[in-house]
Every structure is written in structure tokens, then in C-alpha cells.
Amino acid sequence: MNEQEIVTYIKELVSIPSPSGYTEDVIAFVANILKSKNVPYQITNKGALLATLQGDNQDKHRLLTAHVDTLGAMVKEIKPDGRLKLTMIGGFRWNAVEGEYCKIHTADGKVFTGTILVNQTSVHVYKHAGEAKRDDSTMEVRLDEPVRIKKDTEDLGISIGDFISFDPRVEETESGFLKSRHLDDKASVGILLHLIGLIKEKNLVLPYTTHFLISNNEEIGYGGNSNIPVETVEYLAVDMGAIGDGQATDEYSVSICAKDSSGPYNYRLRQHLVKLAKDNNVDYQVDIYPYYGSDASAAIRAGYDIVHGLIGAGIDASHALERTHISSLRHTADLLYYYLQSDLV
């Protein structure tokens, strides 16, 4: 594994704005990398990307998925003072993005910057600023433009429905941590891109034809519930491991999910992944994520007759100021490498 290539991919990916519904640029980035490696792919009607590597067995297929869409927002309203009211894209809390720099992407291709704030920020004016509720009615974007009234903002070309992306603030530390928004799930996409390149570089022939679905609507619940080839037997979502009180997942190993809010994942596949990790000295944790759903669970809900699983690097502070360690990225990549060359369960 080339750990630095994985990190480089992730840094490039998180730097491309891609809230759900606004993912064409990041999908094009992934497509260009695959094109450079002579990997066949197609863009689906939903705007996702499906790449395929032919294997020895073309009757039974595997599918791995990771998603490039992220949390974000849209312009809900232009206020009388020219500031912007927001509506969320994806599941997060407003306090998780308070004070964050952001970009507003207009329909005619212009990009403006701003800051997400509560409308009672100054402690010199608002005695109870810290107690103000953070919700759709109080959060706003302060534009970095000389706007004083609603018309000033409208004259810039900003309108209702424009997308808003959050500054990722990506940083790699000397101690091996990678800090950034949107590691969920661009860390996994970076891992998959590296693995595809490694397979092509080594001229490996996988035991089964394998598809890589880079989905673009996971954060709103239906990213990986279509475009699954009928030959697919196993479906493995590569997403993130959730860290917190009572969780086994950490930032240094790969997390194998036993159950999330959708119910248990396939037991045989989970045990297969655990055995591969043990046999190949891959550090892992088995965990349950109480408030979580994946593209694999979305596929099950859509009625696909598949064996489904979920693994990922451990991501601290998910849907907020996220962080992981390079060792977690490496162990996730290692487990996937062995899984891709193993038998079906």
C-alpha cells in the first residue's frame, strides 16, 4: 500500500465541493483518475459512477461502494439585510458548522465566500448569545461582499436553491492524523481509487468480476440503491466507523459493522471479514453504530437480493470536525485488498 497516495487522493477529494445534489465536479475527478488507469466506467442517470474490473468468474459478481457526496446546505431565503437563511443537506447539527467558512455556488457558476453564524453572535450586543437556539430560524450566512439589503445580494446572482459547501480545512499532522471535514466518505473513495490502481499496476485478475459504485446521494439516504448489476451476490459498503462513548471503533484500525439502525449486516460476510483480518494481521474492531445507515442498507431496503456488509476507517467526530489516523486508512485498505481476492461467502 502506498499510504501517501491514499492521503493525497483524500486531500484532493475533500477539496472539491460536493454536497448531495452538487456532485458533478467530484464525479468528474474520479472519472479522470479511472480513465488514466484504463478502467472502464459509466455515469448513471442519477449521476453516480460505476467502474468494473473483469474477474475470472463472470457469473457471480461483487460490488463495493463508497460515496463522494457530503453534508452541506442550500439557500432557503435572502434576508432583508442581505444575509442568507439556510436549509440543511444531510444529517448534522447546526452547532457543528457554526463559525465555519463556506462557499455559495450560484446557478450561473459564480462562487462567493461567507461564514455560517448564529444571528445573535456578538457578546457585546447580545447578553444571552451563548443560549440562543441553533436552528433553521437563527443560523445564517454572512457574505464576504458589501451587501446591506436583499437586493444587493440578489444583484450578485445569489438566489434560493443555490448550494452551500463547507470549508474542509484539511490538514495532515506529523503524528499521522488526517483532519478534515468530509472524511465521511471521501476517505473511503481515496482508498478504493488506490486499490483499483494497485490491482491494475500488478495486473491482478480478481476471482470475481467486481464493480465499484461511487455513489452521490448517500447523505440523503438513497445513494447505492440502484444500478446494481443483476449478477451481484455480495455488496460491501465502504464508509466510516463511528467513534464515541460505548463504541469499540477507534482511529487506528478498520471497523467492521455488525449492526446499525437498519438492523444486522450479513453474519457470514461479517465473520468472513473478521477471519481475513485475523489471518492477515489486520487490526480491526467489530462494532454497532446506533444512529447510522449505509448504501448497503439502502440497497437492501430497495429489495436487492444480496449479501451485504459494511466496513470503514474509524472517523472521530463524524458529521463535524472529523479526524482519522493513517493506520486506520492502511488497515482498511489492507482488509479490502484481501477481501477482493477471497472467495464469496
Side-chain angles (χ1 to χ4, degrees):
M1 296 298 165
N2 184 335
E3 296 171 356
Q4 196 53 53
E5 182 177 81
I6 294 174
V7 170
T8 297
Y9 278 146
I10 296 170
K11 285 182 174 180
E12 292 173 330
L13 286 160
V14 299
S15 299
I16 302 172
S18 59
S20 302
Y22 188 80
T23 56
E24 287 188 2
D25 288 347
V26 72
I27 287 290
F29 173 83
V30 173
N32 285 334
I33 291 174
L34 295 176
K35 192 180 300 182
S36 71
K37 300 179 185 301
N38 296 314
V39 175
Y41 67 87
Q42 60 176 301
I43 306 297
T44 72
N45 291 331
K46 286 167 64 174
L49 183 149
L50 184 66
T52 301
L53 296 178
Q54 292 294 331
D56 277 335
N57 188 325
Q58 298 185 31
D59 297 324
K60 295 181 178 181
H61 294 188
R62 275 194 171 115
L63 186 144
L64 280 69
T65 185
H67 66 91
V68 288
D69 62 307
T70 70
L71 306 173
M74 296 177 83
V75 177
K76 170 63 173 64
E77 177 186 332
I78 301 175
K79 299 177 68 174
D81 62 1
R83 295 193 178 194
L84 308 176
K85 288 186 72 171
L86 309 175
T87 181
M88 285 184 180
I89 296 174
F92 60 95
R93 301 291 179 265
W94 282 124
N95 65 287
V97 296
E98 182 179 356
E100 191 61 88
Y101 293 164
C102 65
K103 291 180 180 177
I104 301 90
H105 307 268
T106 71
D108 60 2
K110 296 177 183 176
V111 178
F112 297 95
T113 62
T115 305
I116 300 172
L117 299 166
V118 69
N119 61 1
Q120 299 177 20
T121 296
S122 176
V123 295
H124 298 100
V125 178
Y126 303 102
K127 182 178 180 180
H128 302 290
E131 301 170 17
K133 191 172 183 179
R134 273 66 174 165
D135 61 19
D136 292 6
S137 66
T138 60
M139 301 303 293
E140 64 184 17
V141 171
R142 179 188 67 196
L143 289 166
D144 298 327
E145 299 292 331
V147 297
R148 294 177 176 84
I149 60 174
K150 179 178 180 180
K151 187 177 184 301
D152 292 339
T153 300
E154 292 175 333
D155 288 345
L156 293 172
I158 295 174
S159 60
I160 293 170
D162 286 344
F163 285 92
I164 295 173
S165 62
F166 308 145
D167 187 343
R169 292 198 285 165
V170 59
E171 181 180 336
E172 183 182 3
T173 73
E174 291 184 2
S175 54
F177 287 103
L178 185 61
K179 305 190 295 183
S180 179
R181 289 192 184 274
H182 314 317
L183 295 178
D184 171 20
D185 184 35
K186 291 180 175 180
S188 298
V189 177
I191 290 170
L192 291 187
L193 287 175
H194 176 64
L195 283 171
I196 291 169
L198 192 63
I199 291 165
K200 294 290 288 186
E201 178 186 327
K202 291 178 171 290
N203 293 314
L204 294 177
V205 179
L206 300 177
Y208 304 94
T209 292
T210 301
H211 308 279
F212 298 86
L213 176 62
I214 307 302
S215 74
N216 64 329
N217 286 295
E218 193 274 350
E219 294 294 358
I220 51 177
Y222 58 88
N225 64 354
S226 64
N227 305 104
I228 302 170
V230 295
E231 299 88 355
T232 300
V233 175
E234 287 183 2
Y235 182 122
L236 183 64
V238 189
D239 209 316
M240 48 144 260
I243 295 175
D245 293 342
Q247 297 298 111
T249 301
D250 58 40
E251 294 178 83
Y252 312 103
S253 56
V254 56
S255 182
I256 301 172
C257 184
K259 174 184 177 292
D260 65 13
S261 62
S262 69
Y265 284 78
N266 184 273
Y267 183 63
R268 286 181 296 121
L269 180 53
R270 191 232 298 183
Q271 293 298 84
H272 179 59
L273 292 166
V274 167
K275 186 176 187 306
L276 286 172
K278 288 180 176 178
D279 290 348
N280 294 283
N281 297 313
V282 174
D283 288 344
Y284 74 96
Q285 299 287 347
V286 175
D287 211 351
I288 291 173
Y289 316 145
Y291 310 110
Y292 192 117
S294 73
D295 275 338
S297 55
I300 290 291
R301 285 197 178 98
Y304 281 92
D305 182 20
I306 51 174
V307 172
H308 75 311
L310 168 62
I311 71 168
I315 304 293
D316 188 56
S318 59
H319 284 200
L321 301 172
E322 297 170 345
R323 189 185 77 169
T324 193
H325 195 269
I326 195 166
S327 58
S328 185
L329 300 174
R330 182 180 67 250
H331 288 300
T332 304
D334 283 343
L335 181 55
L336 289 168
Y337 181 76
Y338 295 119
Y339 168 69
L340 287 170
Q341 298 176 81
S342 69
D343 291 331
L344 295 171
V345 298

